[in-house]
């Protein structure tokens, strides 16, 4: 069966050690993590962890059960489908010399992203979107020379109030 | 009321009705010990912190209560890890208190500092570092609650030294509330109803039970259910004693060293009702040939156990006790007692397997280890609490001692920890001072925690150690014999010690048998000895445990005697 990508979102107690419980579970049981995002929610006692993993259905079932079993994990959901909004942000430092500066700006414009830093030989571009958009942008910028990149990993919310 | 951390600890231990602690002191816990001696709690000073955890584990298994340990920081804490992992694998409720360097030194590589919360994270059900005295009472209560509820397990609480002397407000008995932890006890009734329907249709049903039945204290209900519906019962190593080992419906243990009839019954079964088990590889053998014809029902309190190794037809999350109570009610309403005729031929098929291929061994001039266990069983009338070490001794104990009651077979099933048996026997003896407690040991394993003989002596605990002394790491030797062309690499343990002299050095009784005709006499002497005793049985050196299913083979393909 296919190892499908899954976005798992969970509310956890905002206390030290919780992240290592989650990460340790993945490394100890040989599950994979593609990306992982953690930050406080509006309740300072609660953090949200969003992680992306690839697994076949039985392993995914185990991952979700094992995460739920952690005492500090409160509520867990799979936010992979179209009923959820998924976004990721990246900052891309691209080589920008006279010959391609204009081209880069045009791409930035088309993708509705922003140049957040300008140097004699580089731009840093900030982009937000789903994975498809990020990959499309990265592919277009590659020929110009991407010097470095930082990605946040996916965060997601269900399309519903509360 | 303002109390010091150490005083609060004692208060909460009192709330939790703790009257027994196994431990070993050191600088980081000196304040706790200073307070402990003012309480009614009995503290057992072990000789190694691993022994403290195994003793607390044996105590917990024998008594059904939470076992408690107290050790110092650094090496005291790291010495507990094997014990904690042992309890974790077998779902035994423990609370382990470790000392820690003062909070302001944490992270500085202070003397005897170790990140025990980090180290023990993957082998505890949960763990805590107490950072404020005001959190202490809540954390300790949570620790006990988590350890004993749901699927039980060990919980570690790390106690920095300064917290133990800091004053904080103490409020009596506040019930712990953990919003993200709600064990699910009540099984789905509709799912249980389906089980009854399946039983009505089944021709060759089998009940397969594990440690969960013992932990949920549902042996009686299980026995009632099996007898009423005339379904034969097999068990994992951890489930031994949950169903009477002398009942005609008893199949014996399942798996790698299971009985012929149990393994064959699983191969032929059309309905496998499993409870409180986790389908360990030592039980299933080759996964895709396990119970190939059966619909599988799996009842367990831990959802992660279900569908982990074996795809099941009817998954049921819940406590075995709740499930069995409902199943018994439903069985009565549905007249499951009117056993279908087909069941009779199933049971006679099993009888045939039993009589054609019973557990067996060949007699020679040497003492057979199986014979020692048979005689031990007879002389103790099957009533002793048996702990084991790990290896052949453990398997022979499971095969030849017949357990009629739960909590009487105490063994490291999941982790297979050599050195478990003696300290576990000490814990069991503390829980049941008037019962006969016997550690069935190997000559290799017993040396891993032999120092605990001194603990037994100090507290006048009359534990008996039966060493099946083959001068080998026998189980490994057996694998080398069968699968490595007898290349006995580093499994021979020729050089002693003289266990009789060793026993005497500790002040215990020491007895030896070298010939079969001495076995009964030595057992009688050892068992009736007034105090702890070691019995050294010089057994057949290259005896192997049969049946045996080679690792990774289907369980119906057994090597027999
Ligand atoms: C701590 C530990 N180390 C190694 C092993 C691997 N092991 C399993 S059985 C066994 C042999 C045990 O020898 P002994 O105690 O003499 O028992 P026997 O099999 O001879 O009855 C060994 C080394 C283990 N289970 N636990
Ligand atoms: Mg041996």
């Amino acid at each position: 069966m296919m190892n499908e990508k899954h976005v798992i979102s969970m509310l956890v107690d905002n206390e030290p050690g919780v992240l290592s419980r989650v990460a340790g579970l993945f490394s100890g049981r040989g599950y994979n993590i593609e990306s992982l995002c953690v930050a406080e929610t509006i309740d300072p006692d609660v953090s949200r962890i969003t992680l992306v993993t690839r697994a076949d259905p039985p392993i995914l079932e185990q991952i979700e059960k094992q995460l739920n079993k952690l005492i500090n994990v409160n509520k867990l959901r799979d936010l992979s489908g179209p009923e959820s909004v998924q976004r990721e942000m990246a900052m891309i430092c691209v080589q920008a010399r006279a010959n391609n500066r204009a081209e880069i700006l045009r791409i930035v414009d088309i993708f509705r992203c922003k140049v957040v830093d300008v140097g004699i030989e580089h731009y840093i571009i900030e982009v937000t979107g789903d994975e498809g958009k990020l990959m499309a942008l990265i592919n277009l910028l590659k020929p110009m020379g991407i010097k470095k990149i930082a990605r946040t990993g996916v965060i997601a919310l269900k399309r519903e109030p509360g | 009321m303002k109390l010091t951390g150490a005083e609060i600890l004692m208060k909460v231990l009192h709330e939790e009705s703790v009257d027994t602690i196994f431990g070993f002191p050191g600088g980081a816990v000196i304040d706790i010990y200073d307070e402990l001696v003012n309480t009614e709690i009995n503290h057992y000073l072990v000789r190694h912190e691993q022994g403290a955890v195994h003793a607390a584990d044996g105590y917990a298994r024998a008594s059904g209560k939470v076992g408690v340990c107290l050790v110092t920081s650094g090496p005291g804490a790291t010495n507990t890890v094997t014990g904690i992992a042992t309890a974790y694998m077998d779902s035994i409720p423990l609370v382990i208190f470790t000392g820690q360097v003062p909070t302001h030194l944490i992270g500085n590589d202070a003397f005897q500092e170790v990140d025990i919360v980090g180290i023990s994270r993957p082998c505890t059900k949960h763990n805590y570092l107490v950072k404020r005295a005001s959190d202490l009472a809540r954390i300790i209560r949570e620790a006990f609650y988590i350890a004993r509820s749901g699927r039980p397990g060990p919980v570690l609480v790390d106690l920095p030294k300064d917290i133990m002397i800091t004053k904080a407000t103490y409020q009596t008995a506040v019930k712990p509330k953990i919003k993200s932890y709600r064990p699910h006890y009540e099984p789905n009734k509709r799912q249980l109803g389906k089980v009854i329907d399946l039983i009505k249709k089944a021709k060759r049903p089998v009940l397969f039970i594990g440690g969960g039945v013992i932990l949920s204290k549902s042996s009686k209900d299980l026995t009632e259910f099996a007898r009423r519906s005339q379904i034969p019962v097999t068990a994992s190593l951890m489930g031994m004693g949950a169903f009477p080992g002398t009942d005609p419906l008893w199949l014996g243990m399942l798996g790698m060293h299971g009985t012929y009839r149990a393994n064959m019954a699983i191969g032929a079964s059309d309905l496998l009702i499993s409870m409180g088990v986790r389908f360990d590889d030592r039980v299933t053998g080759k996964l895709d040939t396990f119970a190939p014809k059966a619909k599988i029902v799996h009842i367990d309190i831990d959802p992660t156990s279900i569908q982990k190794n074996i795809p099941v037809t009817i998954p049921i999350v819940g406590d075995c006790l709740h499930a069995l109570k409902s199943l018994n009610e439903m069985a009565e309403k549905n007249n499951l007692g009117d056993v279908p005729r087909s069941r009779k031929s199933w049971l006679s098929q099993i009888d045939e397997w039993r009589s054609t291929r019973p557990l067996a061994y060949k007699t020679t001039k040497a003492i057979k280890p199986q014979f020692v266990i048979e005689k031990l069983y007879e002389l103790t009338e099957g009533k002793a609490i048996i702990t084991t070490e790990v290896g052949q001794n453990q398997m022979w104990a499971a095969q030849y001692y017949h357990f009629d009651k739960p909590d009487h077979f105490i063994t490291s099933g999941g982790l297979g920890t050599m050195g478990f048996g003696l300290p576990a026997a000490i814990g069991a003896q503390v829980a049941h001072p008037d019962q006969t407690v016997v550690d069935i040991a190997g000559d290799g394993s017993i040396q891993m925690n032999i120092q605990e003989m001194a603990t037994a002596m100090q507290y006048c605990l009359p534990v008996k150690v039966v060493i099946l002394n083959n001068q080998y790491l026998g189980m490994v030797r057996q694998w080398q014999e069968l699968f490595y062309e007898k290349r006995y690499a580093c499994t021979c343990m020729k050089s002693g010690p003289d266990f009789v002299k060793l026993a005497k050095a500790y002040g215990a009784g020491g007895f030896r048998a070298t010939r079969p005709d001495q076995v009964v006499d030595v057992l009688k002497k050892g068992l009736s000895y007034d105090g702890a005793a070691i019995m050294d049985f010089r057994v057949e050196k290259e005896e192997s445990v049969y049946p045996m299913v080679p690792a990774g083979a289907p369980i119906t393909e057994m090597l027999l005697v």
Side-chain angles (χ1 to χ4, degrees), chain B residues 137-317:
Chain B
R138 171 185 61 80
I139 286 176
I140 301 168
R141 287 176 190 128
E142 285 183 8
F144 276 88
Y145 170 60
I146 291 171
R148 73 161 76 86
S149 58
R151 176 177 176 177
V155 179
L156 182 141
V157 183
D158 202 18
L159 302 168
K161 186 172 161 84
D162 55 324
I163 304 278
M164 292 298 102
I165 48 176
T166 306
K167 287 206 168 183
T169 313
Y170 167 74
Q171 284 179 317
T172 41
V174 193
K175 264 217 168 130
K177 258 195 298 219
I178 311 171
K179 64 175 189 292
S180 53
Y181 175 69
R182 284 171 303 252
H184 185 89
Y185 287 90
E186 202 50 60
N188 183 308
K189 286 262 160 61
R190 278 199 24 227
Q191 293 286 85
L192 289 176
K194 290 189 201 160
V195 178
I196 299 286
D197 292 340
L198 285 180
I199 293 175
K200 284 189 194 154
K201 285 184 223 140
K203 293 201 167 66
R204 295 178 304 279
V206 175
L207 273 158
F208 166 36
I209 57 172
V213 173
I214 293 174
L215 288 163
S216 64
K217 304 184 171 55
S218 54
S219 299
K220 257 210 201 118
D221 308 80
L222 167 86
T223 306
E224 184 189 330
F225 183 70
R227 284 180 179 160
R228 183 203 305 271
S229 45
Q230 286 293 298
I231 302 179
V233 184
T234 182
S236 66
L237 186 67
M238 294 305 298
M240 301 293 284
F243 184 78
T246 49
D247 192 289
L249 287 168
W250 174 238
L251 291 169
M253 185 169 70
L254 182 67
M256 184 172 274
H257 294 295
T259 62
Y260 182 77
R261 61 184 192 279
N263 287 358
M264 294 304 284
I266 294 294
S269 169
D270 62 352
L271 175 63
L272 182 64
I273 306 164
S274 41
M275 297 189 189
V277 296
R278 56 188 178 82
F279 295 100
D280 182 276
D281 51 274
R282 285 293 186 266
V283 149
T284 60
K286 191 170 191 278
L287 270 179
D288 49 16
T289 58
F290 181 78
K293 300 173 191 149
K295 294 203 163 74
I296 299 182
V297 175
H298 190 182
I299 305 175
D300 200 276
I301 194 148
D302 180 0
T304 68
S305 290
I306 298 176
Q307 313 276 25
K308 180 170 67 178
N309 298 331
I310 291 274
V312 304
T313 324
I314 304 193
I316 301 176
V317 178

Side-chain angles (χ1 to χ4, degrees), chain B residues 371-390:
Chain B
F371 174 72
V372 177
I373 313 278
E374 284 176 337
K375 291 296 150 196
L376 176 68
Y377 175 71
E378 284 170 28
L379 289 170
T380 54
E381 296 168 344
K383 289 181 185 146
I385 295 178
I386 302 291
T387 70
T388 76
E389 302 293 340
V390 169

Side-chain angles (χ1 to χ4, degrees), chain B residues 308-544:
Chain B
K308 180 170 67 178
N309 298 331
I310 291 274
V312 304
T313 324
I314 304 193
I316 301 176
V317 178
D319 182 69
C320 291
L321 183 64
H322 293 240
L324 278 159
K325 289 222 181 297
S326 302
L327 283 174
N328 272 322
E329 278 169 28
M330 293 180 183
E332 196 172 354
K333 272 194 213 126
N334 284 271
N335 296 322
L336 281 203
D338 306 339
V339 179
R341 252 222 251 112
S342 64
R343 192 68 47 78
K344 303 239 161 80
S345 61
W346 175 225
L347 294 177
S348 62
Q349 165 72 74
I350 287 167
D351 276 339
E352 192 191 315
W353 284 326
R354 186 196 325 257
S355 51
T356 54
R357 295 283 185 190
L359 281 175
Y361 58 92
K362 295 201 182 84
T363 40
T364 58
K365 276 195 198 132
I367 299 176
K368 288 290 172 165
Q370 301 92 329
F371 174 72
V372 177
I373 313 278
E374 284 176 337
K375 291 296 150 196
L376 176 68
Y377 175 71
E378 284 170 28
L379 289 170
T380 54
E381 296 168 344
K383 289 181 185 146
I385 295 178
I386 302 291
T387 70
T388 76
E389 302 293 340
V390 169
Q392 296 181 315
N393 56 85
Q394 179 184 33
M395 293 300 118
W396 284 318
Q399 290 180 334
Y400 288 90
Y401 202 97
H402 310 293
F403 299 93
D404 276 336
K405 283 194 204 148
D407 307 329
H408 278 58
F409 183 54
I410 296 177
T411 193
S412 168
L415 201 66
T417 307
M418 291 171 67
F420 173 79
L422 176 56
I426 288 173
Q429 189 79 76
V430 168
H432 297 288
D434 300 327
Q435 285 204 45
T436 303
V437 180
V438 182
D439 172 26
I440 295 178
D443 50 311
S445 304
I446 192 64
Q447 295 185 63
M448 285 212 172
N449 276 317
I450 188 76
Q451 77 286 346
E452 299 308 329
M453 280 306 287
T455 309
M457 294 311 295
Q458 179 162 347
Y459 300 97
C460 302
L461 299 165
V463 294
K464 313 295 179 190
V465 182
V466 166
I467 303 178
L468 303 176
N469 187 348
N470 51 16
Q471 296 181 33
Y472 275 112
L473 298 170
M475 186 54 94
V476 184
R477 184 209 59 75
Q478 175 171 346
W479 284 49
Q480 290 169 333
E481 176 190 329
L482 295 174
F483 312 118
Y484 294 84
E485 291 152 346
K486 290 205 177 190
R487 290 188 301 277
Y488 293 167
C490 311
T491 44
C492 185
M493 307 239 292
K494 270 193 289 229
S495 68
D498 180 331
F499 287 110
V500 172
K501 281 191 187 152
L502 188 60
K504 291 187 174 152
Y506 280 109
F511 307 92
R512 173 172 298 123
T514 53
R515 295 192 319 264
D517 61 319
Q518 298 168 327
V519 167
V520 169
D521 190 46
V522 164
L523 278 171
K524 279 186 181 160
K525 279 192 184 129
L527 290 170
S528 62
Y529 184 81
D530 184 18
I534 293 180
M535 291 158 260
D536 181 25
F537 294 91
R538 296 303 182 90
V539 297
E540 180 91 80
K541 289 196 178 126
E542 298 196 15
E543 183 71 12
S544 289

Side-chain angles (χ1 to χ4, degrees), chain B residues 34-67:
Chain B
D34 196 42
E35 206 50 54
L36 183 67
V37 291
N38 301 328
T39 69
E40 307 272 274
I41 295 173
N42 297 310
H43 178 272
Y44 292 85
L45 176 65
V46 295
R47 297 299 184 271
H48 185 300
E49 289 86 351
Q50 183 186 351
V53 188
H54 291 327
D57 181 323
Y59 175 85
R61 295 190 207 216
S63 68
K65 296 190 222 164
V66 178

Side-chain angles (χ1 to χ4, degrees), chain A residues 3-6 32-34 52-56 59 63:
Chain A
N3 275 1
E4 269 185 47
K5 212 172 198 168
H6 289 270
N32 105 313
I33 299 183
E34 289 204 348
V52 176
T53 184
R54 262 180 203 283
D56 61 18
I59 296 291
I63 291 176

